[in-house]
Amino acid sequence: MRRRRLLLCVAPLVTVVALAVPATAHTQVRRATPGPAEVVEAPVREIVLEFLDPVLPTPTIEVTDAGGSPVPGQGEVRLEGDDVARVAVGPIEEPGEYQVDYAFVALDGATQEGAHRFTVTAAEGRAVELRPLLGWAVGGVLVALLGAALLGRRRSQA
């Protein structure tokens, strides 16, 4: 009988303690653009962080070059909805490695920090689009043939 009373008293106590454990529902970056270790072609005009869960306004995002200097033209961080942060940069046109440092506050109040690097490569020369050139060439040949036919017809009539 004593054991039964003891269990009846202890069970609710254990339940209350188990439910009182603090929540650990921190969020994290789901996707970054440019992403960690990504190699992208210049120019880079924007950094985007997408979070798994909502974050409190407004995350901080700082972009630095390989020497640790802030990239020029970095704007203010904008939070879209409650889970996407964007910041305009540069544009970054100089090839090299860049670092994105960020900090944000999850809904549970926990501040989180992180960083990743990406590499910018030089923009390749733009290939000449052949279709418009081919169209102009065919059109020019047709106009020349039509002109020659008209001149030949006039000469034969004269």
Side-chain angles (χ1 to χ4, degrees):
M1 186 82 155
R2 276 189 181 180
R3 283 186 184 175
R4 194 172 195 180
R5 277 191 205 162
L6 184 62
L7 281 174
L8 287 173
C9 291
V10 172
L13 183 62
V14 169
T15 303
V16 168
V17 170
L19 293 175
V21 173
T24 56
H26 303 311
T27 190
Q28 60 186 343
V29 174
R30 172 180 41 193
R31 183 179 337 165
T33 306
E38 189 173 354
V39 178
V40 295
E41 188 176 290
V44 174
R45 291 182 164 81
E46 179 177 64
I47 306 297
V48 180
L49 300 179
E50 297 177 31
F51 302 94
L52 283 174
D53 298 302
V55 296
L56 298 177
T58 296
T60 61
I61 301 173
E62 295 178 8
V63 186
T64 55
D65 62 20
S69 299
V71 297
Q74 186 166 323
E76 290 186 27
V77 177
R78 296 182 335 264
L79 188 61
E80 294 178 358
D82 54 7
D83 62 350
V84 177
R86 296 179 182 274
V87 63
V89 292
I92 300 172
E93 299 190 68
E94 190 68 31
E97 189 173 72
Y98 293 85
Q99 180 162 319
V100 178
D101 291 290
Y102 53 86
F104 58 91
V105 179
L107 288 180
D108 66 359
T111 299
Q112 297 178 333
E113 297 178 355
H116 72 269
R117 293 178 186 267
F118 67 93
T119 302
V120 174
T121 62
E124 293 183 21
R126 302 288 180 226
V128 176
E129 182 64 43
L130 293 179
R131 281 189 183 183
L133 293 177
L134 184 60
W136 281 102
V138 169
V141 168
L142 289 176
V143 168
L145 288 173
L146 182 62
L150 289 175
L151 280 175
R153 190 171 172 186
R154 279 194 168 164
R155 285 189 182 163
S156 66
Q157 289 179 352

